[in-house]
Amino acid sequence: MAHQRGAGFEDAWEIMDGPDALRSLYPRIAEDLEDILPILDRLPFRINSHLLKLIQDPQDPIGLQVIPSDKELDTSFKDLDPLREESYSPVENLTHRYPDRVLFLVSNECAAYCRFCNRRRKVGRPHVVTEHSIREGLRYIRANPGIREVLLSGGDPFMLSDQRLEKLLSSLRDIPHVEVIRIGTRVPSYLPQRITPNLAAMLKRFQPLFINIHFNHPKELTLEAQMSLGILADAGIPLGSQTVLLKGINDSAGILKELFLKLLRCRVRPYYLFQADMVAGTRHFWTHPLKGVEIIKALYGTISGLAIPHLAIDLPEGGGKIILAPEYIREITSEAIRVENFEGRSIKLTTHWEDT
Ligand SMILES: *Cc1c(COP(=O)(O)O)cnc(C)c1O
């Protein structure tokens, strides 16, 4: 099923959805389609003209992120909401876990669906985000003056038309205690054509507004993606990135070093490297929790600190985010702390000055 989307957007692009699209585009995978269909009920398949050009092989690092696999049928792990976003949700589609900021889901859709999506219980389904839920979310934010920052996510907020997004942003800006707006998006990677000078000019009116962009592999930084980042950076919008550590896709220091340095050249400051969330059907993407620490440790001291994100893990059982960092302290005694530098050299930090 292919359809053109254009209403409200400057450029139309081809978005293809569902089993028919999968069957026609990837016949080899579709051989097992009957087995895979239940997966698509959980998280739909979607692709678009940009990704179609990019995915030369379903096994390439971008293909592996968007094309369903029978590994998603694994039932050894059943949790669909390990972050317990629903338990921390005072109104539908809004999660208030940390005192001064909320996560606000404002779109059902993405430009394509990541097979490791941690919000597959909601994303890609119609009628999850409604006019009503947006109104209720805004009402909650308005009523809670402790909320300093609103993080718009979804789905992807940039799948809304410019007009709808503008309306939402002005409603948020009308709330005096909302200091900062943050948008989480994957559009510059998956559908860079969506980022237009008109969109950037509109966003610019709602500063301070930060955009955090999901990029997982250096191949995603195509010329088109780089241009979309240029448009946003030229509008003065601070850009950060989020990366999910994915087994067999980017779980090596070499690949991530290339990604982070490339992002920095595009004026994107790497913000978080995430341990993949332990959501049902995504087990084949998980890495050992120490893998990320090892990778970050290999980067410290070898590339610019500007290019190195925090390694974060969003804990199961709704524990929230924590930062994992390599340990440089080797020994603590009453007189000194012995540390190791990035080259492995041992250095003593005296604490004697405390006595004087
Ligand atoms: C990740 C997250 C945030 C933002 O956390 P930061 O550490 O500020 O990036 C806010 N709310 C929820 C529910 C989150 O999961």
Side-chain angles (χ1 to χ4, degrees):
M1 183 176 47
H3 62 270
Q4 293 285 326
R5 288 173 63 91
F9 296 95
E10 275 191 299
D11 299 308
W13 51 79
E14 214 177 38
I15 286 183
M16 284 152 276
D17 277 315
D20 290 347
L22 186 62
R23 200 177 276 124
S24 64
L25 297 171
Y26 300 103
R28 196 157 52 82
I29 288 152
E31 274 172 27
D32 308 318
L33 193 64
E34 289 313 308
D35 298 335
I36 286 180
L37 283 179
I39 301 172
L40 301 189
D41 289 339
R42 279 251 164 111
L43 180 72
F45 169 70
R46 169 172 280 189
I47 202 160
N48 60 60
S49 48
H50 175 75
L51 286 174
L52 208 48
K53 256 191 301 171
L54 218 55
I55 301 171
Q56 294 304 320
D57 176 348
Q59 294 300 314
D60 76 23
I62 302 172
L64 287 171
Q65 295 183 63
V66 297
I67 298 169
S69 135
D70 56 6
K71 297 191 182 102
E72 290 174 56
L73 291 165
D74 168 70
T75 54
S76 62
F77 203 86
K78 297 194 172 55
D79 203 336
L80 278 169
D81 183 20
L83 312 185
R84 301 285 178 273
E85 289 186 335
E86 298 300 330
S87 324
Y88 290 86
S89 193
V91 295
E92 210 186 328
N93 297 332
L94 182 143
T95 301
H96 194 177
R97 184 197 306 279
Y98 306 108
D100 75 334
R101 54 211 192 278
V102 293
L103 171 72
F104 188 14
L105 310 185
V106 296
S107 161
N108 293 316
E109 291 183 75
C110 293
Y113 296 110
C114 300
R115 302 321 301 180
F116 47 90
C117 179
N118 68 357
R119 216 166 278 138
R120 56 176 56 211
R121 68 187 188 282
K122 294 195 143 174
V123 162
R125 295 157 201 265
H127 316 304
V128 167
V129 173
T130 60
E131 291 293 334
H132 175 77
S133 75
I134 297 214
R135 235 183 356 256
E136 289 301 299
L138 286 168
R139 198 205 303 270
Y140 180 83
I141 295 164
R142 224 174 269 125
N144 286 275
I147 299 172
R148 217 187 328 248
E149 180 173 333
V150 176
L151 168 46
L152 300 178
S153 184
D156 198 311
F158 286 146
M159 293 306 284
L160 301 175
S161 67
D162 287 7
Q163 292 88 328
R164 284 193 68 192
L165 195 54
E166 182 174 13
K167 192 162 162 250
L168 179 65
L169 292 170
S170 18
S171 304
L172 285 171
R173 266 288 158 256
D174 282 344
I175 306 173
H177 56 265
V178 173
E179 293 173 11
V180 170
I181 298 171
R182 192 192 323 180
I183 295 178
T185 179
R186 208 168 183 189
V187 153
S189 165
Y190 276 175
L191 192 60
Q193 302 92 311
R194 168 69 185 98
I195 306 297
T196 60
N198 271 355
L199 172 67
M202 183 272 280
L203 295 171
K204 191 180 173 156
R205 295 183 12 239
F206 299 99
Q207 285 165 358
L209 179 145
F210 288 68
I211 299 182
N212 250 6
I213 308 154
H214 182 169
F215 278 107
N216 293 336
H217 195 278
K219 275 196 176 170
E220 294 170 30
L221 281 158
T222 55
L223 276 181
E224 293 91 338
Q226 293 180 40
M227 276 170 57
S228 75
L229 297 171
I231 290 172
L232 295 170
D234 284 348
I237 300 168
L239 305 177
S241 69
Q242 302 196 161
T243 297
V244 182
L245 196 52
L246 299 166
K247 192 194 222 157
I249 294 175
N250 64 6
D251 57 340
S252 87
I255 290 171
L256 288 179
K257 176 172 155 181
E258 188 187 341
L259 172 65
F260 299 149
L261 288 174
K262 232 170 163 177
L263 283 167
L264 200 58
R265 288 202 297 275
C266 295
R267 292 177 278 174
V268 180
R269 168 80 163 94
Y271 176 63
Y272 276 147
L273 171 64
F274 281 117
Q275 175 79 11
D277 292 325
M278 295 171 75
V279 179
T282 65
R283 189 177 197 138
H284 51 297
F285 290 112
W286 303 348
T287 53
H288 189 287
L290 293 180
K291 184 76 196 183
V293 179
E294 183 191 300
I295 290 175
I296 289 289
K297 186 159 189 193
L299 299 183
Y300 276 140
T302 65
I303 58 169
S304 164
L306 282 176
I308 306 178
H310 286 304
L311 172 64
I313 173 163
D314 217 328
L315 297 167
E317 300 173 41
K321 288 187 190 69
I322 58 160
I323 305 294
L324 295 181
E327 184 56 84
Y328 291 99
I329 297 176
R330 284 285 167 271
E331 192 183 15
I332 303 174
T333 66
S334 52
E335 279 100 53
I337 295 171
R338 194 167 60 78
V339 298
E340 194 178 280
N341 82 345
F342 72 100
E343 298 158 307
R345 186 152 60 97
S346 178
I347 293 168
K348 210 155 114 183
L349 291 172
T350 176
T351 56
H352 276 312
W353 46 266
E354 282 228 310
D355 311 328
T356 57

